[in-house]
Every structure is written in C-alpha cells, then in structure tokens.
Amino acid sequence: MSDPDTGLRAETTAEASPANADPRADSRIVPLNSTITVEPNDSHRLAALCGPYDQNLKHLEKRLGVHIRNRGNRFQISGGERRVRAAGALIQELYLQTRDQAEIEPDMVHLFLQESGVDALLADISRDEVREHDPQEILVRTTRKMVRVRGGNQAGYVTAVREHDINFGIGPAGTGKTYLAVACAVEALESHRVARIILVRPAVEAGEKLGFLPGDLAQKIDPYLRPLYDALYEMMGTEKVTKAIERNLIEVAPLAYMRGRTLNNAFIILDESQNTTIEQMKMFLTRIGFGSNAVITGDITQIDLPRGQESGLVHVRRVLKDIEGIHFTHFNSRDVVRHPLVQKIVDAYAAFQYTGGRDESHDR
C-alpha cells in the first residue's frame, strides 16, 4: 500500500484494513506482522522519529503493547492485529511531523498519543483480549522466572498495567496486587521500557511509632517494604537487586520524599496506599512524568490513619473513577492466592462488618 503524497507504504502478513480505518471495527484478536516503509529515506528524519536510543519507538511499544524493529526506513511491527494497525498509523503520522520538527521529543510522542484517542482504543482492545484469552496464557516475563496470572481479575489487572499509565489495584491481602505490580515493573525495566523502578510507601503502619525506630526516615520505613524486596529478589536475584539499588536503577523512598519531584521514565509502585491522606495521594499522582507508569495498591479494610481522617485511596476512587487512561481493578476474596483459610478469613471479616460488627476504619 502506498500513499502518493507521502511515500508511505505498508506490507502485512495478514489481510489488514487501511491505515485510516477504525481498528475497533474488528474485535478479533489475531497475531499480525506488519512492515511499514516510510519515504523519503531521510536519515535525519528517521533519527528524529526514533529518538535517542530508539526511546520514541520504545514509548510506542509500551503504550500499544507491540514489538517494533526497524532497519533504515522499514519498521516491522508485531502483536495483536488491532494494536499493529494502530501502531503503524501512529508511526506514519509521526514521520509526517518530522518534515517540520528537527527533533521528536518523548513528551511530544506522549501528547500525540493522548490527542490521538489511543487510550479509549486500548481500553476497548484490552476488554476484548481479557474476554477471549485464557487467563493462563498471560505471562509476565522476568530474568529468573515467568509469572503466570491466576483468574480473570489478575489477567485484567496485568493487561491494564501494561496499557494504562496509572493503575489502582484495590483489594484484600493475598490477591497478588503488589506481587504482580513488582513483576510488571521488573519486566519493564529489563526490557528497557523504563529507566528505573521506584518503590514508595507512606510512613504509617498499624499503630507502630516510627519515631522510636533507629535510623533516618528511609531506614525506619525500609523494613515495611520487605514484601516488595522479597518479590524483587525472587524475580531478579539478591545480587542483581543490590547492584540495581547501588546504581539507583531501583529506588526505595518514603512517600514524604516525593514532594517536589517529577518522575520521568520510571515504573512507580505506591504500596499500602490506603494509609495516604487525600493531600498525599494528590501529591503522589501529580509527580508522574513522561514515559512513566504508576501502580497504586491498597486495601481499604486495613486503614491505619488517625480516627476521622479520610483515606486518600477511598477518596481517589470517587474523584478519578471516570478519567480516561486511569484504570481501577477491584479484587475480592475469590482472588486470594495464599493459604485457603485466608479467603475464609477475608469473607468472615466482611460478613461481620456487614451484619453490624463495628468497623472503625471503613471508608474514613
């Protein structure tokens, strides 16, 4: 296929719609390889399109869930059929921008994706994929292991983390929301889709007084991040995690240290977010910069804030529930993957609260 005005051509290994067709018109999930040729074959324009170290292409891969390889002015795209078509159309449009732009910065790619309405398209595609794929087929690949999701809720959660810049995982202990977030973060770091991982947690914990613990604030909160460390060690190995922390590829920080920062090209996990205040949650969410993913996890039945103070996690569900590009996954006792008694314990507490048991932390 060739455009006489732009010299753009596309070749595919399967029957494909025209580049300007609505990808949502076909709900089939079909693997596809497509080759896009952009012309004229201008090395300067191609360098602008790809960005330094191909970071613009990596941004497209990350947002659209495809693989892009290029040699000169030929771009091979592989992935789900509708995703490949969308990626091809976006590469063509971005190459047209290089006629007037000497450089295509990552923030321009980000804004271009926003204006293209790709979030609504990806949400539509993701729903189809979760419905049509066996959840057991969804894997998170890291150096030391492959993590296989269990059940539709976990499948939808991992898919959402890969497709949305901001994700919330809300539910009881043992549902895998934090473990899967760490797995996705390691996968993104090892595939160079992000430059670093940032692990964040509020300095509130089940009545413990941090002031009486030794060390500075970072050292005081470090033991409470042990579940995140354990997941990192399992997926990367202790030595590799230690070196990554030394090189600042993995950063562990109390939530209070986030103020005033802009976090670009990072995978950020805010754990135990039910213990944030409204102000802290807003502060954290507004730190997220270009090329970053944020996953916020929490359990609204285990809030340790002072009596009468509303949880930032409870509040944010109401404020951001209809914002395009932000996804909420709600887990329940059926998603628990720990000891079988844990599911029964979760259900028992929920039933006790429902039948009149006093719950001092519910929706404060």
Side-chain angles (χ1 to χ4, degrees):
M1 181 171 60
S2 177
D3 184 328
D5 296 322
T6 63
L8 300 171
R9 298 197 305 272
E11 305 165 6
T12 63
T13 60
E15 184 177 351
S17 300
N20 61 352
D22 183 1
R24 285 172 288 186
D26 184 356
S27 61
R28 295 173 303 157
I29 301 172
V30 180
L32 183 71
N33 288 312
S34 176
T35 300
I36 304 296
T37 302
V38 295
E39 294 180 356
N41 189 355
D42 185 317
S43 60
H44 295 292
R45 291 179 60 181
L46 288 167
L49 171 64
C50 298
Y53 304 104
D54 291 336
Q55 63 183 8
N56 292 343
L57 297 184
K58 291 175 183 176
H59 196 156
L60 289 176
E61 287 182 319
K62 174 182 169 184
R63 285 293 295 274
L64 295 169
V66 298
H67 295 287
I68 303 173
R69 299 291 179 267
N70 80 295
R71 182 181 295 274
N73 65 334
R74 293 172 62 86
F75 295 80
Q76 184 178 27
I77 311 166
S78 58
E81 182 176 1
R82 295 163 67 194
R83 296 174 184 274
V84 167
R85 292 176 182 174
L90 287 168
I91 287 175
Q92 292 176 353
E93 291 297 325
L94 281 170
Y95 193 67
L96 291 177
Q97 300 296 317
T98 62
R99 290 188 299 192
D100 305 312
Q101 297 278 347
E103 294 184 3
I104 303 291
E105 299 289 343
D107 56 350
M108 180 179 175
V109 177
H110 180 81
L111 294 173
F112 190 85
L113 286 166
Q114 284 185 316
E115 293 170 358
S116 71
V118 73
D119 286 330
L121 172 61
L122 291 175
D124 185 42
I125 293 173
S126 297
R127 283 192 295 269
D128 289 340
E129 290 178 344
V130 170
R131 281 197 299 265
E132 297 189 24
H133 275 306
D134 181 350
Q136 297 300 316
E137 295 177 1
I138 298 180
L139 299 173
V140 183
R141 293 176 172 83
T142 66
T143 298
R144 289 174 60 112
K145 69 179 299 183
M146 290 194 297
V147 179
R148 189 182 301 275
V149 305
R150 301 184 181 182
N153 238 4
Q154 286 195 356
Y157 180 57
V158 169
T159 300
V161 169
R162 288 169 169 169
E163 307 299 349
H164 297 80
D165 289 339
I166 299 177
N167 286 273
F168 289 83
I170 304 172
T175 52
K177 55 189 183 295
T178 301
Y179 184 82
L180 289 173
V182 174
C184 290
V186 173
E187 180 184 58
L189 180 67
E190 292 182 340
S191 60
H192 305 290
R193 297 200 305 269
V194 297
R196 55 185 171 150
I197 296 172
I198 302 176
L199 308 176
V200 185
R201 191 166 180 170
V204 176
E205 185 66 28
E208 301 290 341
K209 303 299 183 185
L210 294 177
F212 291 100
L213 296 175
D216 58 23
L217 183 55
Q219 292 170 323
K220 291 174 192 287
I221 203 172
D222 195 63
Y224 295 117
L225 289 159
R226 183 53 52 188
L228 298 174
Y229 280 119
D230 289 343
L232 285 171
Y233 293 150
E234 184 176 335
M235 295 168 200
M236 299 177 65
T238 305
E239 183 177 349
K240 191 172 181 179
V241 170
T242 302
K243 289 182 179 179
I245 292 174
E246 291 173 353
R247 296 169 57 196
N248 209 33
L249 298 178
I250 297 176
E251 177 184 351
V252 180
L255 179 59
Y257 288 12
M258 294 294 103
R259 192 173 299 277
R261 299 180 63 182
T262 300
L263 307 174
N264 293 318
N265 299 313
F267 197 113
I268 314 145
I269 300 174
L270 172 59
D271 194 30
E272 298 292 335
S273 67
Q274 74 274 8
N275 290 326
T276 61
T277 64
I278 294 174
E279 293 77 14
Q280 286 175 328
M281 179 64 77
K282 179 182 177 182
M283 180 272 290
F284 172 78
L285 292 173
T286 53
R287 300 306 94 201
I288 299 166
F290 292 110
S292 289
N293 276 76
V295 179
I296 301 95
T297 65
D299 178 359
I300 60 174
T301 68
Q302 297 189 33
I303 299 172
D304 300 316
L305 293 171
R307 185 189 303 274
Q309 188 167 33
E310 184 176 18
S311 164
L313 182 60
V314 172
H315 180 261
V316 80
R317 291 190 306 167
R318 302 194 300 268
V319 175
L320 302 182
K321 63 180 181 179
D322 297 322
I323 302 298
E324 195 172 274
I326 298 177
H327 190 272
F328 288 82
T329 301
H330 294 273
F331 296 92
N332 54 53
S333 62
R334 292 188 299 275
D335 300 308
V336 172
V337 291
R338 293 181 181 170
H339 192 287
L341 281 176
V342 174
Q343 178 178 346
K344 296 179 180 179
I345 291 169
V346 171
D347 286 337
Y349 270 96
F352 180 76
Q353 294 167 8
Y354 181 77
T355 56
R358 188 175 180 182
D359 174 25
E360 296 180 347
S361 66
H362 181 65
D363 279 19
R364 290 184 307 187

